[in-house]
Amino acid sequence: MASVSLSSLCLTQNPNSISFSSIASDHVRFGSPTIEFGSVKKYRRDRAVVCRASSVVFRNLDADDFRHPLDKQNTLILRAIPGLNELGKILLGSVAEQVMLLENIGTSLLVSKDQLSGLHQLMVEAAEILNIDAPDLYVRQSPVPNAYTLAISGKKPFVVVHTSLVELLTREELQAVLAHELGHLKCDHGVWLTFANILTLGAYTIPGLGGMIAQSLEEQLFRWLRAAELTCDRAALLVAQDPKVVISVLMKLAGGCPSLADQLNVDAFLEQARSYDKASSSPVGWYIRNAQTRQLSHPLPVLRAREIDEWSRSQDYTTLLKHATQITGAKKVLTTPGR
């Protein structure tokens, strides 16, 4: 499988690497999605932080309640491609599954109530809000901010976050990233993401078939992947219930670092997103925009920010909140080291 890079809120498309359920953009190798309002504040050492990002849970939440229309549309198109599932299974195979599983488990730290309990609590709470079983969570040492989900048939899915991502984000933002990854599982994206990435990689390595498969499927696969990311950003908002938290994650992915955190401004980033829409509205701009995004697995951070800002003000989002169940006494305060 050449080299296998399991990156996830957006990553580079390299025919020799695989990016699973990411959060970063193809141009942003990771400072993965985080969320926050106004300017982003630094954490101080030994600061008490609230784990619970939300005071409501969605007891009867269905994936289609928040699935992006483009996700629905492109999923139907993928399902109509003859033999796609079968080909994906052939390319993946049990050996490849074991390689990916052991490679991650063997080089990461398993989070639990006894190991990094604060992160464990963030995952449990996010899963409760989205009405889904919490997957295993691993923390992996890496200078590349990233998070990804891996769902292997017959085994419990798991989420991996890189240490640099933990350093980059506030706890609210980090929980939003976990919620984004849970969105992939809630919507059954896990297997599709794995098949899509393996198929894209395999298309370059099957003698005589590679070019044909790549040309016919790659663009459609990437179109679906980009739409799936928009859906999972919505899952992040359902947990954070503050659009500026999610937008802050995207802003940090585009150009954030811990030393600049207290100077970042979400409103300015949204204005940047609007200026991008304006600049790409002309015929030439439209062409350049399409060329810029066609080969990306994730939408551009500014476009994702604009999308989540618009959905946060939609009737669909408001209706979901109205039907949510209030949680009393849900907040839990932990004393943890911070930035």
Side-chain angles (χ1 to χ4, degrees):
M1 214 192 285
S3 64
V4 179
S5 170
L6 302 176
S7 303
S8 179
L9 255 215
C10 302
L11 288 119
T12 60
Q13 291 309 317
N14 180 341
N16 294 318
S17 65
I18 302 177
S19 166
F20 288 91
S21 164
S22 324
I23 301 178
S25 90
D26 291 76
H27 292 300
V28 184
R29 189 78 197 179
F30 232 95
S32 132
T34 64
I35 322 161
E36 193 153 342
F37 293 99
S39 59
V40 179
K41 297 181 179 179
K42 285 184 178 179
Y43 276 116
R44 303 197 173 189
R45 296 285 177 190
D46 299 323
R47 177 176 176 179
V49 295
V50 177
C51 274
R52 171 70 77 184
S54 166
S55 60
V56 303
V57 297
F58 299 90
R59 296 294 189 199
N60 300 307
L61 184 67
D62 184 82
D64 286 338
D65 292 338
F66 63 92
R67 197 186 300 270
H68 195 282
L70 290 177
D71 185 0
K72 296 179 182 179
Q73 174 184 327
N74 285 286
T75 296
L76 290 175
I77 294 174
L78 276 186
R79 286 175 176 169
I81 298 176
L84 178 61
N85 275 350
E86 290 71 20
L87 183 56
K89 291 176 182 178
I90 293 171
L91 292 172
L92 187 57
S94 59
V95 175
E97 287 182 339
Q98 284 298 109
V99 169
M100 290 184 286
L101 179 66
L102 293 176
E103 196 270 341
N104 279 275
I105 294 178
T107 59
S108 307
L109 191 64
L110 176 61
V111 175
S112 69
K113 62 181 180 180
D114 300 316
Q115 180 75 278
L116 300 176
S117 58
L119 289 179
H120 175 72
Q121 186 68 20
L122 291 179
M123 173 62 87
V124 170
E125 290 171 352
E128 180 186 2
I129 293 168
L130 294 175
N131 191 32
I132 185 175
D133 291 335
D136 286 337
L137 174 62
Y138 289 86
V139 174
R140 185 172 185 173
Q141 186 68 242
S142 175
V144 180
N146 199 6
Y148 57 87
T149 299
L150 190 58
I152 294 177
S153 58
K155 295 181 175 64
K156 186 177 182 179
F158 62 89
V159 172
V160 178
V161 296
H162 288 180
T163 51
S164 53
L165 180 62
V166 176
E167 289 298 313
L168 180 66
L169 307 181
T170 67
R171 292 186 70 82
E172 290 84 357
E173 294 169 344
L174 186 56
Q175 188 171 54
V177 168
L178 296 178
H180 175 103
E181 297 305 317
L182 289 172
H184 285 301
L185 296 175
K186 183 78 175 180
C187 296
D188 291 325
H189 286 162
V191 173
W192 280 94
L193 282 167
T194 303
F195 285 180
N197 282 288
I198 293 290
L199 180 58
T200 302
L201 173 64
Y204 293 93
T205 58
I206 301 176
L209 250 162
M212 180 179 68
I213 294 176
Q215 290 175 12
S216 62
L217 293 181
E218 184 180 34
E219 186 172 333
Q220 181 56 50
L221 288 169
F222 285 171
R223 186 179 296 119
W224 175 81
L225 287 169
R226 291 193 298 270
E229 291 302 304
L230 297 178
T231 290
C232 295
D233 286 346
R234 292 181 172 189
L237 178 58
L238 290 176
V239 170
Q241 291 177 29
D242 184 339
K244 288 189 175 180
V245 171
V246 181
I247 294 168
S248 177
V249 172
L250 300 169
M251 175 176 62
K252 287 182 176 180
L253 288 176
C257 65
S259 64
L260 297 177
D262 59 352
Q263 301 177 51
L264 296 175
N265 187 305
V266 168
D267 292 328
F269 188 62
L270 278 175
E271 183 58 37
Q272 179 181 334
R274 287 188 282 269
S275 69
Y276 181 86
D277 280 339
K278 183 177 180 180
S280 60
S281 62
S282 68
V284 173
W286 179 87
Y287 178 82
I288 294 174
R289 172 173 168 171
N290 282 348
Q292 183 181 24
T293 60
R294 186 176 296 116
Q295 297 302 314
L296 302 182
S297 65
H298 290 59
L300 297 173
V302 289
L303 298 181
R304 293 171 69 179
R306 186 253 292 152
E307 281 280 337
I308 207 63
D309 178 59
E310 291 180 354
W311 194 64
S312 72
R313 292 182 278 106
S314 71
Q315 186 60 48
D316 287 344
Y317 176 65
T318 301
T319 300
L320 281 175
L321 289 182
K322 287 180 179 178
H323 289 88
T325 302
Q326 289 289 331
I327 297 296
T328 57
K331 291 186 177 181
K332 179 180 289 188
V333 178
L334 300 178
T335 299
T336 59
R339 292 181 291 284

